[in-house]
Coordinates of all heavy atoms in Angstrom, one line a residue:
T611 N -0.2 229.0 144.6 CA -0.5 229.6 146.0 C -0.1 231.0 146.2 O -0.6 231.7 147.0 CB 0.1 228.7 147.1 OG1 1.6 228.9 147.1 CG2 -0.1 227.2 146.9
G612 N 0.9 231.4 145.4 CA 1.4 232.8 145.5 C 2.7 232.8 146.4 O 3.3 233.8 146.5
F613 N 3.0 231.6 147.0 CA 4.2 231.5 147.8 C 5.1 230.6 147.0 O 4.9 229.4 146.9 CB 4.0 230.8 149.1 CG 3.2 231.7 150.1 CD1 1.8 231.8 150.1 CD2 3.9 232.4 151.1 CE1 1.2 232.6 151.1 CE2 3.3 233.2 152.0 CZ 2.0 233.4 152.0
P614 N 6.3 231.2 146.5 CA 7.2 230.4 145.6 C 7.6 229.1 146.3 O 7.8 228.0 145.6 CB 8.4 231.4 145.4 CG 7.7 232.8 145.5 CD 6.7 232.6 146.5
S615 N 7.9 229.1 147.6 CA 8.4 227.9 148.3 C 7.4 226.9 148.3 O 7.7 225.6 148.2 CB 8.9 228.3 149.7 OG 7.8 228.9 150.4
L616 N 6.1 227.2 148.4 CA 5.1 226.2 148.3 C 4.8 225.7 146.9 O 4.6 224.6 146.6 CB 3.7 226.7 148.9 CG 3.6 226.8 150.4 CD1 2.3 227.4 150.8 CD2 3.8 225.5 151.0
D617 N 4.9 226.7 146.0 CA 4.6 226.4 144.5 C 5.6 225.4 143.9 O 5.3 224.7 143.0 CB 4.5 227.7 143.7 CG 3.3 228.5 144.0 OD1 2.3 228.0 144.5 OD2 3.4 229.8 143.9
R618 N 6.8 225.4 144.5 CA 7.8 224.5 144.0 C 7.5 223.0 144.4 O 8.0 222.1 143.8 CB 9.2 224.9 144.5 CG 9.8 226.1 143.8 CD 11.3 226.3 144.2 NE 11.5 226.5 145.6 CZ 11.6 227.8 146.1 NH1 11.5 228.8 145.2 NH2 11.7 228.0 147.4
E619 N 6.7 222.9 145.5 CA 6.4 221.5 146.0 C 5.0 221.1 145.7 O 4.8 219.9 145.5 CB 6.6 221.5 147.5 CG 8.0 221.9 147.9 CD 9.1 220.9 147.5 OE1 8.7 219.7 147.3 OE2 10.3 221.4 147.4
M620 N 4.0 222.0 145.7 CA 2.6 221.6 145.5 C 1.8 222.8 145.0 O 2.2 223.9 145.0 CB 2.0 221.2 146.9 CG 2.1 222.4 147.9 SD 1.9 221.8 149.6 CE 3.6 221.1 149.9
R621 N 0.6 222.5 144.5 CA -0.3 223.5 144.1 C -1.8 223.2 144.5 O -2.0 222.0 144.8 CB -0.3 223.7 142.5 CG 1.1 224.2 142.0 CD 1.0 224.5 140.5 NE 2.3 224.9 140.0 CZ 2.5 225.3 138.8 NH1 1.5 225.3 137.9 NH2 3.7 225.8 138.4
Y622 N -2.6 224.2 144.6 CA -4.0 223.9 144.8 C -4.6 223.1 143.7 O -4.4 223.4 142.5 CB -4.8 225.2 144.9 CG -4.4 226.2 145.9 CD1 -4.3 227.5 145.7 CD2 -4.3 225.7 147.3 CE1 -3.9 228.4 146.8 CE2 -4.0 226.6 148.3 CZ -3.8 227.9 148.1 OH -3.5 228.8 149.0
R623 N -5.2 222.0 143.9 CA -5.8 221.2 142.9 C -7.3 220.9 143.2 O -7.7 220.9 144.4 CB -5.1 219.8 142.8 CG -3.6 219.9 142.4 CD -3.0 218.5 142.2 NE -1.6 218.6 141.9 CZ -1.2 218.8 140.7 NH1 -2.0 218.9 139.7 NH2 0.2 218.9 140.4
P624 N -8.1 220.8 142.2 CA -9.5 220.6 142.3 C -9.7 219.3 143.1 O -9.2 218.2 142.9 CB -10.1 220.4 140.9 CG -9.1 221.2 140.1 CD -7.7 220.9 140.8
G625 N -10.5 219.3 144.2 CA -10.8 218.2 145.0 C -9.8 217.9 146.1 O -10.0 216.9 146.9
A626 N -8.8 218.7 146.2 CA -7.8 218.5 147.3 C -8.2 219.0 148.6 O -9.0 220.0 148.7 CB -6.5 219.1 146.9
F627 N -7.7 218.4 149.7 CA -8.0 218.8 151.1 C -6.8 219.0 151.8 O -6.0 218.1 152.0 CB -8.9 217.7 151.8 CG -9.3 218.0 153.2 CD1 -10.1 219.2 153.4 CD2 -8.9 217.2 154.2 CE1 -10.4 219.5 154.8 CE2 -9.3 217.5 155.5 CZ -10.0 218.6 155.8
W628 N -6.5 220.2 152.2 CA -5.3 220.6 152.9 C -5.6 220.9 154.4 O -6.7 221.4 154.7 CB -4.7 221.9 152.4 CG -4.1 221.7 151.0 CD1 -4.4 220.8 150.0 CD2 -3.1 222.6 150.4 NE1 -3.6 221.0 148.9 CE2 -2.8 222.1 149.1 CE3 -2.4 223.7 150.8 CZ2 -2.0 222.7 148.2 CZ3 -1.5 224.4 149.9 CH2 -1.3 223.9 148.7
M629 N -4.6 220.6 155.3 CA -4.7 221.0 156.7 C -3.6 221.9 157.1 O -2.5 221.7 156.7 CB -4.8 219.8 157.6 CG -6.0 218.9 157.5 SD -7.5 219.6 157.9 CE -7.2 220.3 159.5
V630 N -3.9 223.0 157.8 CA -2.9 223.8 158.4 C -2.9 223.6 159.9 O -3.9 224.0 160.6 CB -3.2 225.3 158.1 CG1 -2.2 226.2 158.8 CG2 -3.2 225.5 156.5
A631 N -1.8 223.2 160.5 CA -1.7 222.9 161.9 C -0.9 224.0 162.6 O 0.1 224.3 162.2 CB -1.0 221.5 162.2
A632 N -1.5 224.6 163.7 CA -0.8 225.6 164.4 C -1.3 225.7 165.8 O -2.4 225.3 166.2 CB -1.2 227.0 163.7
S633 N -0.4 226.2 166.7 CA -0.7 226.4 168.1 C -1.6 227.6 168.3 O -1.7 228.5 167.4 CB 0.5 226.5 168.9 OG 1.4 225.5 168.8
T634 N -2.2 227.7 169.4 CA -3.1 228.8 169.7 C -2.3 230.1 169.7 O -1.2 230.2 170.3 CB -3.7 228.7 171.1 OG1 -4.4 227.4 171.2 CG2 -4.6 229.9 171.5
G635 N -2.7 231.2 169.0 CA -2.1 232.4 169.0 C -0.9 232.5 168.0 O -0.1 233.5 167.9
T636 N -0.7 231.4 167.3 CA 0.5 231.4 166.4 C 0.3 232.2 165.1 O 1.2 232.7 164.5 CB 0.8 229.9 166.0 OG1 1.1 229.2 167.2 CG2 2.1 229.9 165.1
G637 N -1.0 232.4 164.8 CA -1.3 233.2 163.5 C -1.9 232.3 162.4 O -1.7 232.7 161.2
K638 N -2.6 231.2 162.7 CA -3.2 230.4 161.6 C -4.3 231.2 160.9 O -4.3 231.1 159.6 CB -3.8 229.1 162.2 CG -4.9 229.3 163.3 CD -5.4 228.0 163.7 CE -6.6 228.1 164.7 NZ -6.2 228.8 165.9
S639 N -5.0 232.1 161.6 CA -5.9 232.9 160.8 C -5.3 233.8 159.9 O -5.7 234.0 158.7 CB -6.9 233.7 161.8 OG -7.5 232.8 162.7
A640 N -4.2 234.5 160.4 CA -3.5 235.5 159.5 C -2.8 234.7 158.3 O -2.8 235.2 157.3 CB -2.5 236.2 160.3
F641 N -2.4 233.5 158.7 CA -1.7 232.7 157.6 C -2.7 232.3 156.5 O -2.4 232.4 155.3 CB -1.1 231.4 158.2 CG -0.4 230.6 157.2 CD1 0.8 230.9 156.6 CD2 -1.0 229.3 156.9 CE1 1.4 230.2 155.6 CE2 -0.3 228.5 155.9 CZ 0.9 228.9 155.3
L642 N -3.9 231.9 156.9 CA -4.9 231.6 156.0 C -5.3 232.8 155.1 O -5.5 232.7 153.9 CB -6.2 231.0 156.7 CG -6.1 229.6 157.2 CD1 -7.5 229.2 157.8 CD2 -5.7 228.6 156.2
L643 N -5.4 233.9 155.8 CA -5.7 235.2 155.0 C -4.6 235.6 154.1 O -4.8 236.1 153.0 CB -5.9 236.3 156.0 CG -7.4 236.4 156.6 CD1 -7.5 237.4 157.7 CD2 -8.4 236.7 155.5
S644 N -3.3 235.3 154.5 CA -2.2 235.5 153.6 C -2.2 234.6 152.4 O -2.0 235.1 151.3 CB -0.9 235.4 154.4 OG -0.7 236.3 155.4

Side-chain angles (χ1 to χ4, degrees):
T611 67
F613 287 85
S615 57
L616 283 179
D617 291 333
R618 286 193 293 269
E619 303 294 334
M620 64 200 72
R621 295 187 180 186
Y622 297 132
R623 294 184 183 277
F627 180 61
W628 292 20
M629 292 300 305
V630 175
S633 303
T634 303
T636 303
K638 61 181 181 297
S639 299
F641 179 69
L642 287 182
L643 278 171
S644 295

